[in-house]
């Protein structure tokens, strides 16, 4: 039985990795305007922060506390300014730029 549980966890992780790859690709192709909706990556075994910005504009205006929750969720370690932290999140999600030309 333990083997089946392990096998199921591995299958779930593989499926989630594939899905996250699709989300990154979507973000890289379609998050090009300030009102573009962000497709958030899931982390296996972790609960997403309750409040996530829906758009690039929302991420740009997100406060320090919210940004730190996202960084912790994704295990992104960066001791930079708030704009650099937001750029690190965007890069992780596949978003090319937080300064769209719309």
């Amino acid at each position: 039985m333990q083997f089946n549980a392990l096998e199921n966890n591995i299958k779930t992780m593989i499926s989630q990795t594939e899905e996250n790859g699709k989300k990154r690709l979507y973000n890289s192709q379609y998050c090009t305007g300030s009102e573009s909706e962000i497709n958030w990556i899931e982390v296996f075994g972790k609960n997403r922060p309750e409040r996530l910005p829906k758009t690039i504009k929302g991420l740009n205006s997100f406060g320090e506390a919210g940004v730190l929750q996202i960084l912790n969720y994704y295990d992104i370690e960066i001791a930079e300014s708030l704009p650099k932290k937001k750029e690190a999140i965007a890069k992780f999600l596949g978003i090319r730029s937080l300064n769209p030309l719309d």
Side-chain angles (χ1 to χ4, degrees):
M1 288 230 191
Q2 289 179 359
F3 179 76
N4 288 338
L6 178 61
E7 183 180 17
N8 288 337
N9 280 344
I10 291 171
K11 286 179 181 179
T12 300
M13 288 171 50
I14 290 170
S15 175
Q16 189 172 29
T17 299
E18 290 172 353
E19 184 67 27
N20 286 341
K22 292 174 186 176
K23 289 178 179 182
R24 283 189 176 99
L25 181 61
Y26 172 91
N27 287 337
S28 73
Q29 298 297 311
Y30 297 106
C31 283
T32 57
S34 61
E35 296 298 328
S36 297
E37 288 194 22
I38 298 171
N39 217 331
W40 289 93
I41 305 292
E42 300 289 332
V43 177
F44 181 73
K46 288 178 116 177
N47 293 323
R48 277 185 5 180
E50 288 183 27
R51 212 175 122 246
L52 292 172
K54 294 191 184 311
T55 63
I56 290 177
K57 183 179 180 180
L59 180 55
N60 275 327
S61 63
F62 218 49
E64 180 91 28
V67 167
L68 290 175
Q69 284 183 350
I70 297 169
L71 291 171
N72 288 333
Y73 174 67
Y74 290 128
D75 291 324
I76 299 172
E77 294 184 27
I78 182 169
E80 299 280 337
S81 65
L82 184 57
K84 292 286 186 191
K85 290 174 183 171
K86 291 176 183 180
E87 287 175 19
I89 292 168
K91 183 177 179 181
F92 180 82
L93 296 172
I95 298 169
R96 295 177 187 209
S97 174
L98 286 178
N99 300 306
L101 302 172
D102 57 2

